[in-house]
Amino acid sequence: MRILLTHPPEFRRQYYGERSLQGLQALADVTLHTSEAPLDADGLVAAARDVDIIVSDRMTEGRGEIFPKLPKLRAVVRCAVDIRNIDVAAATAAGVLVTRASPGFVPAVAELALGFMVDLSRGVSRASADYHAGRKPEVVMGRQLAGSRLGIIGYGSIGRRLADLAKMLGMEVLVTDPFAAVSDPGIQHLQLDDLLARADYVACLAVANEQTENLIDAAALARMQPHAFFINLSRGNLVDEAALAAALRADRIAGAAVDVGRAPDQMPSPELAKLPNVIATPHIGGLTPQAIEHQAAETVRQVAAIIKGEAPVGAVNAEHWTRRP
């Protein structure tokens, strides 16, 4: 068996790790992608021409045209939860298995959300930047989390974790999610419009799909309170960035923190990130050793099952997998 690990070297060090790489190498002959640039479709076809399994980073696109050109390919193992840039239908038509990783980043992302709320409320980044630049920081009255209202859009695993943390800090928690049941009597389940109107902090953690594209648009932002803060830790696709930038420039909301955006690799857009009332981080929500090791180790387990001809946990089209070993 031959495996291609598509992670560029720096990405491999950050998002895959030596232990999981050694795990793959114990299972098969592993080819490493050596350029820092992500593989495009032509590059992927050239690199994977003689491999059985592609273990893919989140930036490498599994476009439909690659599968007919890779007759030896048996599976694409994605080291990420999001597989929207893999053409699963084309893989299925070719009999290629596609797998995804489970979310091992729940605590990491929820903790970053808390950090964002503290920073937005107390001006930590702003004051630090002033000190670093030799300027005298403005002394601004802050807001404490205890007693404030947190509105969570999307009550999935991260939303539930964040809700638990917020409650422990004495926050009132509001959630909106048409597909989730809320059994906790200490959490209010509201419609989106009501949540936006009442929350002091709005944390966007909804799933990115066609239905949630630009969920946070100008109308949604207009419903928020002028002192409220917006946080996006889901995907850039959920936010109309032009509308968010306009709301921030006009002080219609107090500020925003974004770990994701519409720049390549879901990075925050530079135009939005440079605004003075925005905190931006480069898609690091899940970048902790525990979170990364979880997903990388899962791909090793998936590859081990595939080599045995077994469909692993995380397979999304196992019933159509015809290129079994």
Side-chain angles (χ1 to χ4, degrees):
M1 282 282 176
R2 299 190 64 187
I3 297 170
L4 170 66
L5 183 63
T6 69
H7 295 60
E10 182 63 22
F11 221 62
R12 188 166 66 244
R13 286 188 290 273
Q14 290 182 329
Y15 289 95
Y16 205 77
E18 190 62 31
R19 183 185 302 184
S20 294
L21 176 56
Q22 290 175 1
L24 280 186
Q25 291 170 332
L27 293 170
D29 180 14
V30 178
T31 298
L32 301 178
H33 175 43
T34 57
S35 170
E36 291 294 350
L39 287 165
D40 59 14
D42 290 339
L44 183 59
V45 168
R49 198 171 304 279
D50 295 317
V51 307
D52 300 277
I53 301 170
I54 295 172
V55 178
S56 173
D57 65 285
R58 70 190 186 209
M59 294 182 66
T60 298
E61 297 183 3
R63 297 185 179 183
E65 63 262 30
I66 73 168
F67 297 103
K69 298 175 182 177
L70 296 173
K72 295 183 179 180
L73 183 65
R74 302 177 187 274
V76 175
V77 174
R78 184 57 170 266
C79 191
V81 175
D82 189 349
I83 57 171
R84 286 177 301 156
N85 65 355
I86 294 180
D87 190 334
V88 177
T92 296
V96 175
L97 183 71
V98 177
T99 74
R100 70 198 318 164
S102 62
F105 45 71
V106 172
V109 176
E111 290 171 13
L112 184 57
L114 282 183
F116 278 161
M117 287 193 285
V118 172
D119 197 343
L120 288 165
S121 303
R122 308 304 295 273
V124 178
S125 294
R126 182 180 62 248
S128 294
D130 285 340
Y131 275 122
H132 289 192
R135 298 186 297 265
K136 182 180 179 180
E138 181 184 4
V139 178
V140 178
M141 181 69 70
R143 170 186 289 276
Q144 68 181 33
L145 301 188
S148 297
R149 286 176 175 164
L150 168 62
I152 300 174
I153 302 173
Y155 196 55
S157 53
I158 300 172
R160 290 192 296 272
R161 176 83 173 201
L162 179 57
D164 289 341
L165 294 173
K167 285 173 59 184
M168 286 190 285
L169 291 173
M171 301 187 76
E172 182 180 344
V173 179
L174 321 173
V175 303
T176 185
D177 191 326
F179 304 105
V182 180
S183 57
D184 188 334
I187 296 176
Q188 299 181 58
H189 196 180
L190 306 176
Q191 295 295 316
L192 176 59
D193 288 356
D194 293 336
L195 179 146
L196 292 170
R198 294 178 57 188
D200 302 307
Y201 305 85
V202 174
C204 188
L205 296 168
V207 173
N209 54 35
E210 291 182 2
Q211 289 70 43
T212 57
E213 183 78 18
N214 287 328
L215 178 69
I216 304 301
D217 56 10
L221 291 162
R223 296 185 183 99
M224 292 178 61
Q225 302 180 79
H227 70 264
F229 297 104
F230 175 74
I231 297 167
N232 189 13
L233 282 159
S234 178
R235 287 290 183 268
N237 310 64
L238 283 88
V239 179
D240 180 338
E241 289 194 345
L244 177 58
L248 290 162
R249 289 192 180 99
D251 294 324
R252 291 198 295 272
I253 61 173
V258 292
D259 185 52
V260 291
R262 293 182 179 267
D265 192 26
Q266 279 289 321
M267 295 286 183
S269 300
E271 296 78 11
L272 183 64
K274 71 182 180 182
L275 296 178
N277 49 354
V278 171
I279 299 165
T281 50
H283 201 170
I284 60 166
L287 189 55
T288 66
Q290 298 93 327
I292 296 308
E293 185 163 299
H294 171 94
Q295 292 193 323
E298 189 164 15
T299 66
V300 177
R301 292 192 293 271
Q302 290 175 338
V303 167
I306 291 166
I307 290 172
K308 296 176 185 176
E310 302 170 357
V313 174
V316 300
N317 61 344
E319 65 274 19
H320 302 290
W321 184 28
T322 58
R323 293 191 189 176
R324 292 177 184 259

